[in-house]
Amino acid sequence: MKTLVVCSGGLDSVSLAHKVAREHTLTGLVSFDYGQRHSKELDFAARAAERLGVLHDVIDISAVGSHLGGSALTDAIEVPDGHYAEETMRITVVPNRNAIMLAIAFGMASARRDDAVAAAVHGGDHFIYPDCRPAFINAFQAMQDAALEGMGAIRLYTPFLNGTKGDIVREGARAETPFAETWSCYKGAEHHCGRCGTCVERREAFFEAGIDDPTIYDDPDFWIRATGREARHV
């Protein structure tokens, strides 16, 4: 299965790229610059492409992103601390982001005669992000089947869709993903902050997977309080 991977440079998508390279035919990585404050993630996507020996395309949709306001990822809004399950994390939603990116990726895949586009959406994102849910994935596949009728059948490959981030860490380890060469933090500083939703979820995922986390965090223990584990062990 010739597969184009949508890769942000984060733990999930880089693990997916390594999984695809191991199990299928990885044709390339595509990343998107949508004006995100943590754009340093794109450097990690580039490193993954170089490591895996494939082309890396960065599509500049920052002009589009500038019209998708109201998100802490693109506007001058403070990124909240805490676990993804908290209502405050909705401020990190970028409206229709995945639909826009996937539509572009499907066009690229069709032009390149690929068989699939892979995306690393997973169960932990379902609560906050509507464009990471099974209903969206199924609807998007149906839409693309109609949009590309007669030009090839391209599958939306989402192997993590019903799993946890801990499952992704386990899969990534099996695919020999160098986790230290991935970027999750929404704040985009020198090190992972350890406090934003992605950092908390990342730290928790390694713990649940039983795999050592090589990430450097400015606040490595905040996740314990944020997930309530401290209270459960009192």
Side-chain angles (χ1 to χ4, degrees):
M1 186 168 69
K2 295 190 298 181
T3 306
L4 174 66
V5 174
V6 178
C7 184
S8 67
L11 185 152
D12 305 340
S13 61
V14 173
S15 293
L16 177 60
H18 278 261
K19 176 180 172 65
V20 168
R22 191 183 185 96
E23 300 174 1
H24 302 285
T25 300
L26 177 65
T27 61
L29 305 184
V30 58
S31 304
F32 295 89
D33 180 352
Y34 57 94
Q36 63 269 45
R37 68 168 65 197
H38 58 301
S39 60
K40 68 181 294 180
E41 66 179 357
L42 300 176
D43 295 334
F44 289 83
R47 294 180 199 177
E50 182 178 3
R51 189 167 56 247
L52 294 168
V54 296
L55 292 176
H56 177 225
D57 290 294
V58 179
I59 309 300
D60 186 352
I61 57 170
S62 56
V64 175
S66 67
H67 294 281
L68 307 178
S71 171
L73 302 193
T74 55
D75 282 356
I77 300 171
E78 186 176 357
V79 175
D81 294 338
H83 195 269
Y84 258 137
E86 296 179 16
E87 188 69 20
T88 55
M89 290 302 144
R90 292 193 185 278
I91 198 65
T92 64
V93 173
V94 178
N96 226 30
R97 178 180 59 176
N98 281 355
I100 294 167
M101 293 178 181
L102 285 172
I104 295 171
F106 263 75
M108 293 174 62
S110 177
R112 294 158 49 142
R113 301 294 187 267
D114 285 336
D115 302 309
V117 171
V121 296
H122 65 90
D125 288 336
H126 295 174
F127 176 76
I128 300 295
Y129 303 110
D131 56 1
C132 290
R133 296 170 187 162
F136 167 78
I137 297 300
N138 294 335
F140 190 90
Q141 180 71 73
M143 183 265 286
Q144 286 299 305
D145 289 345
L148 295 174
E149 185 177 1
M151 291 183 284
I154 299 175
R155 175 187 175 190
L156 179 50
Y157 180 51
T158 55
F160 304 148
L161 181 61
N162 295 306
T164 67
K165 201 176 185 81
D167 293 330
I168 294 176
V169 170
R170 283 185 283 268
E171 275 292 308
R174 278 191 285 271
E176 299 182 345
T177 304
F179 295 121
E181 291 293 310
T182 66
W183 184 267
S184 299
C185 183
Y186 279 161
K187 297 184 181 181
E190 181 179 358
H191 301 135
H192 284 71
C193 72
R195 301 179 65 90
C196 69
T198 50
C199 281
V200 170
E201 187 186 36
R202 179 185 177 109
R203 186 70 182 85
E204 184 180 33
F206 277 100
F207 176 82
E208 291 184 349
I211 293 173
D212 289 339
D213 184 355
T215 313
I216 298 173
Y217 298 96
D218 288 331
D219 191 342
D221 297 323
F222 176 79
W223 75 280
I224 299 173
R225 301 189 300 277
T227 59
R229 290 182 184 276
E230 191 174 55
R232 292 200 293 271
H233 290 287
V234 172

